[in-house]
Amino acid sequence: MRILHSVRIALAVTAVCAASALISQAVRAPSSVPASCPERWDGDRPGGWVPAAADLDGVEESLVPGEPVTAMICAYPGHNARPGGERLAGSRILTGEAGAMARDLDYLPVTTADPGGPCTQKGGAMTNYLIRFAYPRGEALWVGSAEEANSCVTTTNGTVGSRSYVGRDIAAAYRTGTWSPAPPDDPCQGFPGRRGQNERMVPGEPVSVLVCGRATYDRPSPRLEHGGPTAAALAATLNSLDTLPSENVCRGGGGAQDDTLLLLFGYPEGPPAAVRVLTACDPGVNNGLLQANLDANARDQVKRLAPPA
């Protein structure tokens, strides 16, 4: 899935430029944001499209900057084998929940780059969603996303986008009128993301790290949790590696000697930052937006913290 290409708007003293930008098919529109749901989804894939990109402060750093007061969710059901052109099925207004929804989307890591990488190809139902956030002074902003069988979706505001999957939570909000994201039944089976992971492998100051091993067909992932000092030391080691934009692929790996570990760094608030480590793969460290090669220090440190096989 393509993520997006950003074009910064230059401001002159006497004129304001029009816009352009974004995720493959999404094109930055004039500054007015439509007040009603479009009748059709005008993208050609799950998520990754908005009808107009807002000219608001902060849209280059966050999916939903500021403090919107309402959120209107528009639904476009279809099938992932025939994406594009889905008809509007309905809409729902969230009022008291809009701020919480914006805050949670603000935590997601965003980028203007295209990390690429493969998606699984399971066929199934898909629903594209547009969310129109309205602000107290009359401004508005669209966010596009989707619920999809492979969880392989781009969520975008027309200027930046995220590969972190929130389709299930958006679908639940549309059905119930309440924004109440549910934690995963098994954290070791998810791959969440956190704001700042486009700049550092592990952003901020984590207070814990859950190390998940490889699951098998007859047992869940083994896991071992460590406290703040260990999490901080491991984060510092990973952040010392030379990174490059992630393509979400690596060379090698998959053999019996390959340790596959998921590191979930916890924080006092907001979602964890996930980092996947494949010790026999190159590059072997990946947070979804950045990749890096394992050095000997990082390899040894990760193996010491891994749960028993």
Side-chain angles (χ1 to χ4, degrees):
M1 170 144 336
R2 299 179 61 84
I3 288 212
L4 18 110
H5 301 284
S6 164
V7 177
R8 287 194 176 271
I9 310 289
L11 297 182
V13 173
T14 58
V16 179
C17 296
S20 88
L22 169 73
I23 248 171
S24 70
Q25 71 274 25
V27 176
R28 191 168 194 139
S31 58
S32 61
V33 175
S36 60
C37 298
E39 288 302 313
R40 285 180 178 270
W41 177 266
D42 203 23
D44 60 4
R45 64 194 67 197
W49 176 78
V50 293
D55 187 11
L56 289 174
D57 289 341
V59 293
E60 298 89 353
E61 291 84 32
S62 169
L63 282 171
V64 189
E67 298 181 0
V69 292
T70 63
M72 177 177 67
I73 306 175
C74 315
Y76 302 85
H79 195 282
N80 64 5
R82 303 176 297 276
E86 291 80 14
R87 290 182 176 273
L88 175 67
S91 63
R92 183 183 287 274
I93 302 288
L94 307 184
T95 53
E97 306 288 335
M101 188 179 195
R103 180 199 63 223
D104 289 343
L105 294 180
D106 178 55
Y107 267 119
L108 300 183
V110 295
T111 181
T112 60
D114 178 9
C119 293
T120 54
Q121 299 297 317
K122 180 169 64 175
M126 168 198 72
T127 301
N128 285 308
Y129 290 99
L130 288 172
I131 309 162
R132 186 184 188 273
F133 289 94
Y135 292 80
R137 294 193 300 177
E139 304 97 334
L141 173 143
W142 286 110
V143 169
S145 190
E147 182 183 32
E148 194 265 338
N150 303 287
S151 302
C152 198
V153 168
T154 296
T155 300
T156 179
N157 66 10
T159 301
V160 294
S162 178
R163 284 288 294 273
S164 293
Y165 184 64
V166 290
R168 197 170 294 110
D169 296 327
I170 296 173
Y174 175 74
R175 289 193 304 269
T176 66
T178 300
W179 178 253
S180 183
D185 294 334
D186 182 355
C188 289
Q189 297 307 307
F191 194 82
R194 186 177 176 90
R195 183 177 58 224
Q197 286 194 273
N198 59 314
E199 298 175 345
R200 305 182 77 194
M201 193 65 70
V202 184
E205 298 180 2
V207 297
S208 65
V209 61
L210 178 67
V211 184
C212 304
R214 182 170 14 198
T216 63
Y217 72 95
D218 60 349
R219 68 165 191 171
S221 302
R223 64 207 63 194
L224 192 59
E225 187 165 12
H226 305 274
T230 300
L234 181 56
T237 296
L238 296 177
N239 286 335
S240 71
L241 302 175
D242 292 331
T243 61
L244 65 158
S246 178
E247 297 179 352
N248 288 309
V249 293
C250 64
R251 295 170 295 279
Q257 302 304 312
D258 183 12
D259 290 323
T260 300
L261 300 170
L262 177 64
L263 315 177
L264 296 169
F265 290 88
Y267 299 82
E269 295 182 354
V275 178
R276 195 174 299 281
V277 176
L278 291 86
T279 58
C281 213
D282 183 30
V285 183
N286 183 19
N287 73 2
L289 295 174
L290 299 174
Q291 284 182 302
N293 292 318
L294 274 170
D295 62 16
N297 180 36
R299 188 186 306 274
D300 291 344
Q301 194 170 352
V302 167
K303 284 191 171 185
R304 286 198 308 272
L305 301 177

